[in-house]
Amino acid sequence: MSAESVFAARIARARAQMAETGVDVLLLSVGADLPYLTGYEAMPLERLTMLVLPADGPAEMIIPGLEAPRVAAADGVFDLVPWGETDDPIQLTIDRLGSASTVAIGEKTWATFLVDLVNRTSGVTFANAGAVMTPPRSVKDAVEVENLRRASQAVDRIAVRLQAGEIDMVGRTEAQLSAELGRQIVAEGHQKVNFAIVAAGENAASPHHHPGDRVIQENEVVLCDWGGTMNDENGVGYCSDITRCVYTGEPPAEFVELYDVLFEAQAASVAAAVVGTPLEEIDRVGRLIITEAGYGEYFIHRTGHGIGVEAHENPYIVEGNRQPLEVGHAFSVEPGIYVPGKWGARLEDIVVAGADGPDPLNTVDHHLAVLG
Ligand code: ZN
Ligand code: ZN
């Protein structure tokens, strides 16, 4: 499919959702909705970029004149409205709202622009564009699944080297190993590093630990969680996200026992990812195993998050989310056990809901890698 037909199809899906939710105009600025719909990512700057997509009629992108040369995919998908340094881009946006009464605006749009729009319009209700954009974005088509698989396979290759002891750990700081993972994320074909968490020893008890100058020692756990964004042929980025744990020496029986429980819980949650299952059930299945083994109080976060053009997006695998799993949902399954002051472990794969059952995109070894 050409870029134009990919984006035209996505805009048609967004318009169908606008009709369903009673939205007259969709406004998208910074954030992932805009590149998903058009292939163009707005720079997160003080100059306004805004796609104005009416329920019918041509879509227009209001864009700083100096950014216009970077827009490649405009032909047939939207018209460009470049503005100069002395123009008023908020007014250009308002001029295009027509008689709209409900305007959905991208949830990552900067408050400064939304506040101006609210204060300078009347009779307009502004709504969160999540209701328009979440349904199309959370159900991946076959091409998107392959984009995610490509990114997952790239981070799997790094995990293979990590588990084989080919990436130096002991004697390096967490920050140095994090930088090394970042370099490998790019070397394996990603355009962007999203994160490279390295947490050694007691730091592994903090799920989103910020890698620092702590030196990795022998005989401790090293939790690594890394991912990036890899562009597809249309320049739209899809994310990877994986967690594996390494022990720099022979692990004590107590840690082996903890990891075995985690391993079993993660596999059970992946196996539970059958189409039609309420999303909370995927969380419950693994959490029950962890709780029955006595570690329930140490599993302090939900089981997973959706993934696609953003590293964290809908749907969320969390208690209370009774939404049924649909073919094309792509999400992480990442239970963790975190014992404060002592150690922690997490095991994470990206999984896609396939018609025939769960399709794990990360297939690299799930066991605790024992090095040294
Ligand atoms: Zn992760
Ligand atoms: Zn994750």
Side-chain angles (χ1 to χ4, degrees), residues 103-117:
V103 173
I105 185 162
E107 58 189 11
K108 303 283 164 68
T109 306
W110 288 10
T112 181
F113 302 131
L114 175 59
V115 168
D116 280 354
L117 285 167

Side-chain angles (χ1 to χ4, degrees), residues 208-256:
H208 283 171
H209 174 68
H210 185 75
D213 56 8
R214 185 189 184 292
V215 176
I216 297 168
Q217 312 287 322
E218 286 181 353
N219 299 308
E220 64 181 11
V221 65
V222 183
L223 183 160
C224 299
D225 180 346
W226 67 99
T229 301
M230 189 182 283
N231 288 350
D232 71 4
E233 57 185 17
N234 300 322
V236 181
Y238 285 81
C239 297
S240 58
D241 187 1
I242 185 173
T243 308
R244 289 294 184 271
C245 293
V246 172
Y247 214 93
T248 56
E250 206 53 50
E254 196 186 345
F255 192 84
V256 171

Side-chain angles (χ1 to χ4, degrees), residues 99-305:
S99 58
S101 62
T102 302
V103 173
I105 185 162
E107 58 189 11
K108 303 283 164 68
T109 306
W110 288 10
T112 181
F113 302 131
L114 175 59
V115 168
D116 280 354
L117 285 167
V118 167
N119 288 341
R120 291 169 58 178
T121 51
S122 60
V124 177
T125 302
F126 286 90
N128 187 329
V132 173
M133 295 306 298
T134 295
R137 275 184 50 189
S138 61
V139 174
K140 274 72 181 176
D141 63 27
V143 172
E144 293 186 284
V145 170
E146 290 319 304
N147 291 338
L148 287 169
R149 194 184 312 276
R150 214 157 50 91
S152 293
Q153 287 172 344
V155 289
D156 270 10
R157 291 193 290 274
I158 301 170
V160 167
R161 292 194 285 274
L162 194 71
Q163 293 173 331
E166 291 169 14
I167 300 173
D168 290 338
M169 302 184 87
V170 174
R172 272 178 152 178
T173 66
E174 293 171 336
Q176 285 168 333
L177 179 55
S178 173
E180 173 70 42
L181 291 173
R183 280 190 291 276
Q184 298 208 14
I185 287 169
V186 172
E188 287 291 355
H190 293 79
Q191 276 67 38
K192 233 172 12 192
V193 177
N194 294 338
F195 47 82
I197 297 169
V198 173
E202 71 287 347
N203 287 341
S206 170
H208 283 171
H209 174 68
H210 185 75
D213 56 8
R214 185 189 184 292
V215 176
I216 297 168
Q217 312 287 322
E218 286 181 353
N219 299 308
E220 64 181 11
V221 65
V222 183
L223 183 160
C224 299
D225 180 346
W226 67 99
T229 301
M230 189 182 283
N231 288 350
D232 71 4
E233 57 185 17
N234 300 322
V236 181
Y238 285 81
C239 297
S240 58
D241 187 1
I242 185 173
T243 308
R244 289 294 184 271
C245 293
V246 172
Y247 214 93
T248 56
E250 206 53 50
E254 196 186 345
F255 192 84
V256 171
E257 187 187 299
L258 176 154
Y259 194 87
D260 284 349
V261 170
L262 181 67
F263 181 97
E264 194 195 335
Q266 201 264 353
S269 280
V270 171
V274 172
V275 169
T277 304
L279 292 168
E280 65 179 359
E281 189 59 27
I282 300 169
D283 179 274
R284 279 183 188 170
V285 165
R287 194 171 300 277
L288 183 67
I289 291 170
I290 289 172
T291 302
E292 285 186 341
Y295 300 104
E297 66 181 296
Y298 303 128
F299 181 9
I300 54 175
H301 55 69
R302 65 187 178 215
T303 289
H305 53 82

Side-chain angles (χ1 to χ4, degrees), residues 267-277 282 325 331 333 351-354 356-359:
S269 280
V270 171
V274 172
V275 169
T277 304
I282 300 169
L325 187 65
F331 51 93
V333 176
V351 177
V352 172
D356 304 325
D359 176 9

